Amino acid sequence: MGLFVNILLSGIVQGMVFAAIALGLVLISRATGVVNFAQGAMGMFTTFIAFTLLTHGLGYWPAFVATLAIGFVFGALVERTLIRPLQGKPALNPVIVTIGLLIVLEGAAGSIWGNVARGFPAAFSQRGLVIGTTRVAFSHFDVFIVIAVAALVVGIVALFRWTDLGLRMRAAAFAPEVSRLLGIRVGRLFTLGWALAAAAGALAGLLVAPLSSFSPYYMDLNLVFGFTAAVLGGLVSPIGALIGGLVTGLAISFVGGYIGPDLEPLAALVLLLIVLMLRPQGLLGAAEARRV
Amino acid sequence: MTSVPTRPAPVSPNPGGSDHPERGLRGLRGLKPLGRMGDRVRLPAQPFLRHLVFFVLGAAFFYVLTTNVSTYNDFQIGEIALYAIVLGGLSLLTGLNGQFSLGHGAFMIIGAYTLALLQLHAHVGIVGELVSATLIAAAAGVIVGIPAARLSAPYLAGVTLMLALALPQLSSQYGSVFGGEQGLTTTPPAGPGSINSQEWLAWIQIFCALLVLLLLANLARSRFGRAFRAVRDDEIAAAISGIHVARTKVLAFAVSAGCAGLGGALLAFSTGVVNNGEFPLSLSIALLAAMVIGGAGSFVGVWWGAVALVYMSTWSGSLSHQFSLGTSAAAYLSDAIFGVVLIVAILAAPTGIQGGIRWIGRRAWRGLVGTPLQTAATTALVALAPASSTETGEPLGHRVIPLDGPPADDGGSRCRSAPAGGDDRVSGDDSVSGDDRISGDDRVSGDDRASGDDRAGGTHGETSTVRPDPEHEHDPEHEHEHEHEHEHEERSTP
């Protein structure tokens, strides 16, 4: 029973992290129709920047905010320099460019900081909470993860649903040509989408790093789990990303806990394939005509 | 159909007199109008024979190379050859079929472990081992290819990326079979007599690479190759034309995976050990990068990609030494440089190195048209070419002889002997400059030569342009026009 509860709780925490990564993928996919395979690596790189800021004596919260801001700018830069020139080109090209960016960032981080597994400080205590008389695998920091990601999802949904800017972003993604004719600066909104996504990725990096050690490659697995989560959610909806993240987190947590941690990626692959074969529009997505 | 200066033409008072009723099959071989000789160099029109020429030339080149370099260089050349196999499969998948894979490292693992397990438990000889590795990896390719055939680019990327991450974990999960973290050891084949074993291994790897590329090049020119390209360009149109789209895509995936399996098995010979560490995710990504950098869809480009794969770490090592960055940084620097080159390649030169070389070659040739230099270059090429064209020039069985009326003239019979390539001037050798897609350099229609005419390394630029279409060959101006026209057409298509 204790094992089951602990697996369940760690699944929820992991799921929230995957949801944050999936949210970044969803924002970018909505804006520019690209799946950003460098999403994890961008979060990794900003986490290393945060690490450098912390070692230079900046406090945790100023470094936290600075990192999100750096991620925001970084995302905008990537969109303007790498993705914009590929508009209208075959779908394969942006995929390969984001993969190139993934290699560059991991290589650069390895060159600058070295491939050493390091610890990253957490904002709150990582000792498990005591409920009743037993200590469960759910700490103050895990509570923070859940709250932070939930706040991020709510914020993004609110942005899309209730603000003028969000309406314009939805319009730009839905019908770029018409939006452009109506005077919406579509290009800028695409840039904003990438910037928001990169900030979400930076947040995910900061939240994942303390859970275990971090190195230039620590986001690789999280990226593929986040991708699974995003596809489960249909790659278009922030709420879908959250639900997809939780499903993925719980699934791999149970596989890892009961069968073996080495099978986690395989479990995610099987989950992804099942969803893509049976419900290509995702668990929440509405059925639409799609060329297969 | 070739101009063959070295072959003695049968004595005939009237070389062009094709309507002599008594002229038999043998007599037809002398019918080449001598006046055209200086105008062009032509490799055999038959794709298989043309590819065979490159096979033989490649084998000779590598024989000379390996016998003249050190053992360590032999090792590296062998690695280049085995990566050329993997990249050849990947290039077929992406360049011809428009699919792609971030997970070819996974198929290499399958091939490598198949080889190691066979060596451990069964003794089937090196041929049996390599063939089994290829077939089992191809079978895995079918399993992955079936769902992959339904996926669009980003999903396919994600699925194959996960495959590259997930599969290596199996060997640590089932350590009793796969040897866990240490992995399994392999025994490289021993050469006959006193041959240096490293050199022998390199020869095996080179032979496999040339053989596989020969087969792939032929596959690309076969009806399957045309089906691959048709599916790549427009699935709906391909389906309407009677091509089974899903089956074609799965076939391409299986062939590609089989190549990766063979490459993995050969890599297992080189390293002497098979474990997870040999096949990290970065290998799969580097394979894709090398394929794009070499030029997707080009079987010459795979050699550039393979050289880049093998030597990139060496180069970046010396580079970081120059900037005194320390040894640990060197390994990562090579990744970073690879990524930068990949991004630049996609943004600036989507056709890769081979596409760039073709473009330069064509530009250079176009600038020369009509100048004395062109005449000189053509003469030189004619002098070099006969070796290949005499052996393979004109298989008798392919000469179509009309039952009534005169035998066709040179150009006409060529068309008949190679029906797929009626008008190969229009075919896609111009698409490099105007085309933004990285997959493939040729169109479905009339692609008779796009994959075959560029095997000659440095000189292919010239070789391809000195093979003008029969209709235009006396008229450089016309040819010029024609090319411009085509270029225009290319640009106007989105």
Side-chain angles (χ1 to χ4, degrees):
Chain A
M1 188 60 201
L3 179 67
F4 178 82
V5 172
N6 282 346
I7 287 175
L8 186 74
L9 290 174
S10 77
I12 289 172
V13 173
Q14 288 192 23
M16 292 310 268
V17 172
F18 300 156
I21 297 168
L23 193 63
L25 293 174
V26 163
L27 284 173
I28 288 175
S29 166
R30 272 174 72 116
T32 46
V34 173
V35 172
N36 177 21
F37 286 95
Q39 180 72 13
M42 287 162 71
M44 176 276 297
F45 204 79
T46 51
T47 307
F48 267 103
I49 292 175
F51 177 75
T52 311
L53 291 176
L54 286 173
T55 50
H56 281 76
L58 206 64
Y60 183 88
W61 292 110
F64 189 90
V65 174
T67 304
L68 294 190
I70 290 169
F72 189 85
V73 175
F74 187 29
L77 273 178
V78 168
E79 200 275 338
R80 294 307 286 239
T81 54
L82 300 181
I83 304 301
R84 187 69 62 85
L86 292 175
Q87 258 183 6
K89 304 282 167 65
L92 189 53
N93 296 20
V95 170
I96 291 181
V97 162
T98 60
I99 287 162
L101 185 62
L102 165 80
I103 313 178
V104 172
L105 290 176
E106 287 184 348
S111 307
I112 299 171
W113 290 288
N115 186 14
V116 197
R118 299 163 198 268
F120 194 85
F124 300 97
S125 157
Q126 283 189 273
R127 279 174 63 85
L129 297 172
V130 177
I131 294 174
T133 53
T134 51
R135 190 177 286 279
V136 294
F138 201 72
S139 65
H140 286 103
F141 185 66
D142 293 334
V143 175
F144 172 65
I145 290 179
V146 173
I147 291 174
V149 176
L152 179 69
V153 173
V154 169
I156 296 288
V157 171
L159 172 74
F160 279 138
R161 195 157 290 175
W162 290 301
T163 68
D164 193 38
L165 181 66
L167 184 64
R168 272 184 282 156
M169 286 180 82
R170 280 190 292 164
F174 182 71
E177 291 305 317
V178 178
S179 311
R180 201 168 274 135
L181 289 175
L182 291 173
I184 295 175
R185 304 291 295 265
V186 172
R188 287 191 190 173
L189 295 176
F190 286 172
T191 311
L192 180 65
W194 268 81
L196 283 176
L203 176 69
L206 288 173
L207 295 180
V208 181
L211 295 181
S212 59
S213 58
F214 81 109
S215 71
Y217 302 101
Y218 83 106
M219 287 297 268
D220 280 355
L221 267 180
N222 287 307
L223 171 75
V224 297
F225 294 143
F227 176 76
T228 311
V231 173
L232 250 61
L235 259 183
V236 284
S237 122
I239 298 288
L242 181 66
I243 293 172
L246 285 174
V247 171
T248 312
L250 288 172
I252 71 152
S253 185
F254 277 103
V255 169
Y258 282 110
I259 306 175
D262 288 328
L263 290 184
E264 285 177 2
L266 199 66
L269 178 63
V270 171
L271 183 65
L272 180 65
L273 281 179
I274 291 172
V275 170
L276 283 175
M277 290 300 105
L278 300 182
R279 250 187 105 73
Q281 71 275 23
L283 296 178
L284 293 187
E288 58 171 312
R290 180 171 162 274
R291 228 179 84 186
V292 285
Chain B
M1 199 49 99
T2 46
S3 315
V4 187
T6 51
R7 186 154 52 204
V11 183
S12 160
N14 175 15
S18 47
D19 50 353
H20 277 206
E22 73 273 16
R23 198 179 291 279
L25 215 58
R26 286 186 59 80
L28 282 173
R29 308 177 90 196
L31 281 182
K32 276 154 292 294
L34 293 169
R36 289 186 182 178
M37 253 190 216
D39 291 352
R40 60 198 163 140
V41 172
R42 185 164 287 162
L43 288 163
Q46 262 271 309
F48 178 74
L49 295 173
R50 193 161 63 205
H51 299 157
L52 204 60
V53 170
F54 287 105
F55 179 87
V56 172
L57 288 178
F61 169 75
F62 278 115
Y63 179 77
V64 173
L65 193 65
T66 46
T67 46
N68 284 302
V69 297
S70 69
T71 311
Y72 179 64
N73 286 331
D74 281 341
F75 174 81
Q76 284 186 320
I77 292 169
E79 283 213 318
I80 290 174
L82 73 90
Y83 281 122
I85 299 176
V86 183
L87 295 178
L90 205 52
S91 199
L92 177 110
L93 186 70
T94 304
L96 262 60
N97 197 223
Q99 303 187 80
F100 71 112
S101 165
L102 285 175
H104 260 44
F107 298 114
M108 289 181 74
I109 298 179
I110 292 175
Y113 270 108
T114 305
L115 177 98
L117 288 172
L118 278 177
Q119 284 201 335
L120 200 63
H121 301 294
H123 301 281
V124 290
I126 178 170
V127 176
E129 287 160 3
L130 291 180
V131 170
S132 329
T134 311
L135 292 181
I136 289 181
V142 172
I143 295 171
V144 179
I146 288 171
R150 292 182 56 187
L151 302 179
S152 53
Y155 294 96
L156 186 58
V159 167
T160 49
L161 183 78
M162 291 179 75
L163 185 71
L165 268 173
L167 206 70
Q169 307 281 346
L170 278 182
S171 63
S172 27
Q173 179 73 20
Y174 301 103
S176 55
V177 184
F178 299 109
E181 293 293 324
Q182 281 78 37
L184 304 167
T185 53
T186 59
T187 324
S194 61
I195 292 178
N196 179 347
S197 67
Q198 197 63 64
E199 203 166 278
W200 179 247
L201 177 61
W203 285 348
I204 291 175
Q205 289 164 334
I206 290 165
F207 174 76
C208 289
L210 291 172
L211 184 69
V212 166
L213 290 177
L214 174 75
L215 296 176
L216 287 182
N218 284 316
L219 183 72
R221 299 291 299 273
S222 70
R223 119 188 121 82
F224 294 106
R226 284 191 291 278
F228 288 162
R229 277 183 286 255
V231 168
R232 174 197 72 194
D233 286 342
D234 192 331
E235 285 186 15
I236 293 173
I240 291 170
S241 317
I243 294 170
H244 195 300
V245 172
R247 208 177 285 161
T248 307
K249 285 178 129 181
V250 174
L251 177 70
F253 218 99
V255 170
S256 180
C259 292
L262 178 60
L266 291 171
L267 182 64
F269 276 143
S270 278
T271 54
V273 63
V274 184
N275 59 37
N276 290 346
E278 299 286 329
F279 305 94
L281 176 66
S282 55
L283 173 69
S284 294
I285 295 178
L287 286 172
L288 182 77
M291 186 269 292
V292 171
I293 290 168
S298 158
F299 294 124
V300 183
V302 299
W303 291 100
W304 307 131
V307 168
L309 259 185
V310 172
Y311 281 104
M312 192 64 97
S313 55
T314 321
W315 289 332
S316 68
S318 62
L319 193 73
S320 68
H321 185 71
Q322 270 180 8
F323 291 99
S324 56
L325 282 175
T327 45
S328 73
Y332 302 102
L333 197 64
S334 87
D335 283 357
I337 294 173
F338 226 51
V340 170
V341 174
L342 180 64
I343 291 175
V344 171
I346 286 291
L347 291 178
T351 48
I353 294 178
Q354 192 56 28
I357 291 177
R358 271 186 225 174
W359 186 81
I360 292 169
R362 210 171 40 249
R363 274 300 153 108
W365 188 255
R366 229 179 264 173
L368 289 180
V369 167
T371 63
L373 205 57
Q374 185 210 17
T375 327
T378 317
T379 321
L381 283 168
V382 168
L384 289 174
S388 60
S389 37
T390 10
E391 304 161 13
T392 51
E394 229 181 322
L396 292 176
H398 286 271
R399 190 83 189 233
V400 179
I401 302 158
L403 289 176
D404 48 349
D409 77 348
D410 196 0
S413 76
R414 197 184 70 77
C415 285
R416 244 170 278 172
S417 65
D423 184 9
D424 51 14
R425 186 74 240 162
V426 201
S427 72
D429 63 343
D430 248 353
S431 46
V432 172
S433 49
D435 201 352
D436 289 320
R437 59 190 305 152
I438 63 146
S439 52
D441 46 359
D442 44 358
R443 292 284 174 269
V444 176
S445 57
D447 54 353
D448 185 31
R449 46 193 289 238
S451 60
D453 61 353
D454 43 24
R455 295 293 131 79
T459 56
H460 57 84
E462 286 87 339
T463 334
S464 64
T465 29
V466 279
R467 280 185 57 209
D469 193 61
E471 283 95 18
H472 307 316
E473 62 190 6
H474 289 306
D475 189 359
E477 277 309 304
H478 192 123
E479 180 186 329
H480 229 86
E481 249 173 62
H482 195 91
E483 286 200 3
H484 283 306
E485 199 179 289
H486 184 59
E487 210 171 296
H488 187 72
E489 200 180 292
E490 282 288 340
R491 276 201 208 105
S492 61
T493 39

